[in-house]
Amino acid sequence: MSDNKAVHRAAEIIRRGGIVAFPTETVYGLGADAFNPLAVARIFEVKRRPSFDPLIVHVANPADVKRLVKEIPSNAKKLIERFWPGPLTVVLLKEEDIPDIVTAGLPTLAIRMPSHPMALSLIRESNSPIAAPSANLFGYLSPTTAEHVREQLGDQVDLILDGGPCSVGVESTIVSFLEEKPKLLRPGGVSLEEIESVIGKVEAHPIGEARPQAPGMLPKHYAPRTPIVLDWDKKNLDLLEDKNIGFLAFQDPKNYLKFQSIEVLSKKGDIREAAANLFAAIRRLDALDLNLILAEPIPEIGLGRAIMDRLRRASTKGEIN
Ligand code: TXA
Ligand code: MG
């Protein structure tokens, strides 16, 4: 089937109240018509989310935001102008007719305009904004290829659109505009530096807050099955000699000990490339039945902040023995 035909079919499924997995530049999403509460309910069922958790609504045109929210503060407008289409989500006060299941009863709505051409065509042809979380089971890593979606959700979704590997590889940056000062709810594909260069200082949110405003902020949200350890110490590595250990290297690994398997995120140490490879690399290591995955810390600049955020959430804290 050609890409165009696949998108036609997918849009028809969405219009009829079905659910479709589709590529975005960040990660694959699992989408339904945002104005069809039953279709949205099926997303929660398929993802096995233990409780309702608000979804991001995806639009194909910045002008569509007006119809979905009460007002657009000027700083939100500036970010939209600068970063859409792209990996930025804004949280604004919602219009009354947005179904409660989309926002989990919150008075606010998270919105973004993705840049992946297939996502944009799908939204346009569906004639409605598309509500979509990442297309993974609750608590697991987001998918960055159609194959990842197939493995986890396979026959439970009506169609999986294949748009190749996601170019950004980490989820969108979420900025809330509910209070006077914009607040970073989740670091992601647009760096904090880029955002602050447009609207000035943004309040960052500490990890592991007791009452997270975005469930993606739960400390253990992106966990693979194999324990990931981030704060390991070279000195202790010989204690692990008899264990099967994988190494998630940022760049050229120095062979500290015999790892069962090594994944290099970016040979040349490019942080963007590392972000694009992150989830697929963790999945490959996670499939090997290792005792442990050691991850090499990444400089926390640009997308490094989003990568380290996901690694911290995926990791087990504490001793490696
Ligand atoms: O890049 C992305 O954002 C991807 C692609 C598919 O667009 N989507 C994604 O969706 O990561 P999801 O559902 O996996 O994560 C959305 C996050 C959740 O942590 C959710 O709690 C938060 O956004 N969120 C959604 N609506 C919100 C709201 N009204 N206020 C605060 N947080 C919200
Ligand atoms: Mg998710």
Side-chain angles (χ1 to χ4, degrees):
M1 207 174 7
S2 76
D3 281 0
N4 277 345
K5 266 204 181 136
V7 171
H8 291 325
R9 253 187 69 191
E12 195 185 327
I13 290 170
I14 299 269
R15 287 195 304 269
R16 290 192 183 159
I19 59 176
V20 168
F22 65 99
T24 82
E25 71 282 14
T26 57
V27 300
Y28 274 70
L30 181 57
D33 177 351
F35 285 98
N36 183 333
L38 281 181
V40 175
R42 227 182 109 207
I43 291 179
F44 287 101
E45 227 175 282
V46 165
K47 277 196 62 125
R48 297 195 218 132
R49 280 202 189 190
S51 62
F52 294 109
D53 173 8
L55 303 182
I56 296 174
V57 166
H58 298 70
V59 297
N61 191 325
D64 296 343
V65 175
K66 243 185 152 162
R67 187 241 165 286
L68 302 171
V69 302
K70 292 222 150 64
E71 64 166 333
I72 313 173
S74 69
N75 278 336
K77 245 180 227 152
K78 284 185 196 156
L79 290 189
I80 286 172
E81 266 162 30
R82 173 71 180 74
F83 297 113
W84 280 12
L88 169 78
T89 296
V90 294
V91 173
L92 304 169
L93 269 183
K94 74 172 187 110
E95 221 23 289
E96 307 300 339
D97 62 344
I98 314 287
D100 271 342
I101 189 163
V102 172
T103 63
L106 294 175
T108 58
L109 181 65
I111 311 176
R112 88 176 186 99
M113 176 180 174
S115 66
H116 197 293
M118 253 188 178
L120 291 172
S121 313
L122 176 68
I123 302 163
R124 278 193 202 106
E125 289 192 32
S126 300
N127 290 325
S128 186
I130 292 183
S134 50
N136 51 281
L137 293 174
F138 179 78
Y140 198 66
L141 302 167
S142 297
T144 52
T145 66
E147 192 50 38
H148 293 162
V149 181
R150 227 167 270 132
E151 281 162 17
Q152 279 206 340
L153 306 179
D155 47 4
Q156 300 181 75
V157 302
D158 299 320
L159 188 85
I160 299 172
L161 281 176
D162 190 342
C166 302
S167 61
V168 176
V170 290
E171 299 86 349
S172 61
T173 303
I174 306 181
V175 183
S176 165
F177 291 91
L178 299 190
E179 287 147 48
E180 194 151 335
K181 260 215 181 116
K183 212 173 190 178
L184 178 76
L185 296 186
R186 177 175 76 181
V190 177
S191 73
L192 186 61
E193 291 91 330
E194 287 174 288
I195 285 172
E196 292 189 332
S197 77
V198 178
I199 58 169
K201 196 88 191 121
V202 168
E203 215 178 297
H205 225 274
I207 282 183
E209 228 194 24
R211 278 185 61 238
Q213 297 193 5
M217 295 167 66
L218 290 171
K220 199 107 193 182
H221 194 72
Y222 299 89
R225 283 175 294 270
T226 318
I228 291 192
V229 175
L230 196 53
D231 48 1
W232 46 279
D233 188 332
K234 271 178 243 171
K235 294 194 298 280
N236 296 332
L237 286 183
D238 44 340
L239 296 173
L240 295 169
E241 210 106 48
D242 54 336
K243 296 224 167 75
N244 289 332
I245 299 174
F247 190 54
L248 185 67
F250 170 40
Q251 46 190 333
D252 272 343
K254 301 155 202 88
N255 225 338
Y256 296 122
L257 86 170
K258 268 206 174 137
F259 294 111
Q260 179 97 349
S261 178
I262 297 177
E263 287 285 343
V264 182
L265 293 177
S266 170
K267 274 216 170 81
K268 51 182 195 281
D270 178 304
I271 294 182
R272 273 182 195 278
E273 185 182 28
N277 290 329
L278 181 69
F279 290 152
I282 295 176
R283 273 171 195 264
R284 282 192 294 271
L285 289 174
D286 201 24
L288 298 178
D289 275 327
L290 301 164
N291 298 110
L292 209 61
I293 298 167
L294 298 185
E296 182 177 33
I298 286 171
E300 290 196 64
I301 45 168
L303 290 199
R305 209 184 302 267
I307 297 176
M308 286 301 283
D309 172 81
R310 305 306 187 271
L311 282 177
R312 285 201 184 95
R313 290 174 208 286
S315 75
T316 0
K317 284 227 162 223
E319 310 280 37
I320 49 174
N321 44 346

